[in-house]
Amino acid sequence: MSKIEKEISIVIPLYNEEGNVSILYNSLIIVLEKITSNFEIIFIDDGSTDESFNHITSISKNDNRVLGISLSRNFGHQIAITAGIEHACGDIVITMDADMQHPPETINLLYLKSKEGYDIVNTKREDTADAGIFKKTTSTLFYKLINRLADIHIEPASADFRLMNRKSVNAFLELKEKDRFTRGLISWMGFRQTTINYSASERFSGKSKYSITKMFRFATDGITSFSAKPLRISFFSGIIVSLIGLLYAIYAIIEYFKGNTIAGWTSLMVTVLIIGGIQLISIGIIGEYLARVFNESKNRPLYFVKEYTSKEPKI
Ligand code: UDP
Ligand code: MG
């Protein structure tokens, strides 16, 4: 397959979504056939341990517009998206989740927006029927934090449901970093971008693959990839704590000459714990950045493909 053979490529990363593959495929076909006959659907199986890839294989046997790519293990949503985009040969590439939370009908709106001349059409969810209060609050907090710390702006509640034209896809593929926070990279890239709203439905089958630890990882990736401010903050908190310590020392000396000694244990413990805490947090922050440098310097491939449903495409 050479690049730009299709008008539209749909890229769907998935991890253990056996209950969603068929319904998603059927709904996509209805929507896409109304737009063009020249499309492809790429499912990237991110190391599923259920029957997802078997479902994809049987769909692609009956429909050669469907390509299944099975990664050698679970590399994570963001890398799976990149793998799909690398394999896409459409003039327009649309990424979406496999769980029906990104309504296939919205593809029409994305397509119309791109015809208005936008290079990238992002989406923002209006209401996640599925998301509990915890997910909503953490998500709002995360976007507040990243927009305050980082030099890029990311629309709150934005999703990896997005249309990109060939020009922006080629630019995206030039970004080779290993810790990939797609939303941030897209914002950083520039080009003519717009955002449309969609209303997220409930997950059709299965449960969310983003555990609290994965969400935390995702959030630190986002912040550390786009901002060095946490390093500066830990530096300044060091200065502030040292100043407070200095003032306290002056106060203690004055009291000593006045003949008073300050009661020791409590203040000592509080000080030791606060300073110890700040030191550990600062080391942790440095560690996060160092881990990223380490990751980049190894320069390993982002992922390996285990299997394709059809003949191996040239990318
Ligand atoms: N996903 C993936 N690899 C992972 C985790 C998730 O490819 O390691 C896929 C998942 O199958 C889905 C999309 O990424 O298609 C979004 O995940 P999910 O719906 O679990 O996230 P949520 O909507 O709850 O934020
Ligand atoms: Mg989901």
Side-chain angles (χ1 to χ4, degrees):
M1 253 186 262
S2 67
K3 295 280 176 195
I4 323 183
E5 254 181 17
K6 307 278 181 210
E7 188 172 355
I8 300 183
S9 300
I10 305 287
V11 166
I12 306 161
L14 61 109
Y15 177 52
N16 292 345
E17 305 280 8
E18 59 184 2
N20 294 316
V21 173
S22 302
I23 176 168
L24 177 61
Y25 164 73
N26 290 328
S27 331
L28 278 174
I29 293 293
I30 294 170
V31 173
L32 291 170
E33 277 179 347
K34 283 193 196 135
I35 303 177
T36 171
S37 55
N38 189 20
F39 64 84
E40 63 173 355
I41 301 176
I42 303 179
F43 286 102
I44 305 96
D45 179 6
D46 186 19
S48 295
T49 49
D50 65 358
E51 291 299 306
S52 301
F53 198 65
N54 288 341
H55 291 316
I56 298 167
T57 312
S58 55
I59 292 173
S60 96
K61 269 206 187 104
N62 296 318
D63 185 344
N64 62 9
R65 298 168 297 185
V66 175
L67 169 68
I69 303 170
S70 168
L71 301 186
S72 60
R73 65 170 173 84
N74 178 247
F75 285 92
H77 181 199
Q78 302 295 305
I79 290 186
I81 289 182
T82 310
I85 296 178
E86 273 181 5
H87 285 81
C89 59
D91 191 30
I92 279 175
V93 176
I94 297 173
T95 54
M96 67 192 292
D97 287 358
D99 55 3
M100 297 296 285
Q101 284 195 292
H102 296 162
E105 306 76 55
T106 312
I107 289 177
N108 267 320
L109 302 177
L110 290 172
Y111 184 73
L112 289 176
K113 273 282 167 203
S114 84
K115 288 292 156 207
E116 283 176 27
Y118 289 102
D119 299 310
I120 299 173
V121 188
N122 295 301
T123 63
K124 183 177 169 185
R125 61 172 184 271
E126 260 167 0
D127 178 40
T128 311
D130 213 5
I133 187 88
F134 178 74
K135 191 143 192 171
K136 276 188 190 159
T137 339
T138 44
S139 158
T140 318
L141 275 177
F142 167 65
Y143 284 108
K144 280 219 169 94
L145 189 67
I146 192 159
N147 283 326
R148 183 156 280 233
L149 290 178
D151 307 324
I152 48 165
H153 177 79
I154 304 177
E155 197 69 48
S158 57
D160 283 318
F161 181 23
R162 179 181 300 109
L163 178 149
M164 291 194 249
N165 65 8
R166 184 43 57 187
K167 188 167 46 166
S168 52
V169 164
N170 288 344
F172 179 78
L173 293 176
E174 284 193 30
L175 304 173
K176 300 289 183 204
E177 57 205 82
K178 312 287 174 202
D179 286 301
R180 301 186 73 79
F181 179 64
T182 315
R183 282 160 226 193
L185 295 174
I186 297 283
S187 160
W188 182 86
M189 273 166 44
F191 292 101
R192 284 199 69 196
Q193 302 201 16
T194 185
T195 303
I196 63 165
N197 288 357
Y198 74 98
S199 118
S201 16
E202 297 209 2
R203 196 171 228 290
F204 182 74
S205 157
K207 52 182 197 310
S208 172
K209 307 301 176 309
Y210 270 94
S211 59
I212 295 182
T213 18
K214 267 195 187 169
M215 268 158 61
F216 188 72
R217 248 300 37 98
F218 183 68
T220 28
D221 269 351
I223 292 167
T224 48
S225 306
F226 289 95
S227 169
K229 276 190 196 141
L231 289 169
R232 270 176 235 138
I233 292 171
S234 66
F235 175 60
F236 282 114
S237 56
I239 293 182
I240 288 167
V241 172
S242 315
L243 280 179
I244 295 173
L246 193 68
L247 291 178
Y248 194 74
I250 295 171
Y251 164 71
I253 292 169
I254 293 172
E255 287 298 303
Y256 174 78
F257 283 114
K258 279 193 197 158
N260 307 326
T261 35
I262 301 163
W265 196 84
T266 318
S267 53
L268 201 64
M269 279 312 282
V270 171
T271 322
V272 167
L273 289 179
I274 291 180
I275 294 185
I278 289 182
Q279 278 176 344
L280 288 180
I281 293 173
S282 303
I283 293 174
I285 292 174
I286 297 172
E288 278 299 324
Y289 286 92
L290 191 63
R292 269 159 188 77
V293 176
F294 176 57
N295 227 359
E296 294 296 330
S297 67
K298 285 184 289 189
N299 206 18
R300 289 185 186 154
L302 271 184
Y303 61 89
F304 288 117
V305 174
K306 184 167 68 184
E307 199 179 332
Y308 291 97
T309 48
S310 50
K311 203 166 80 38
E312 184 170 332
K314 279 188 245 113
I315 56 167

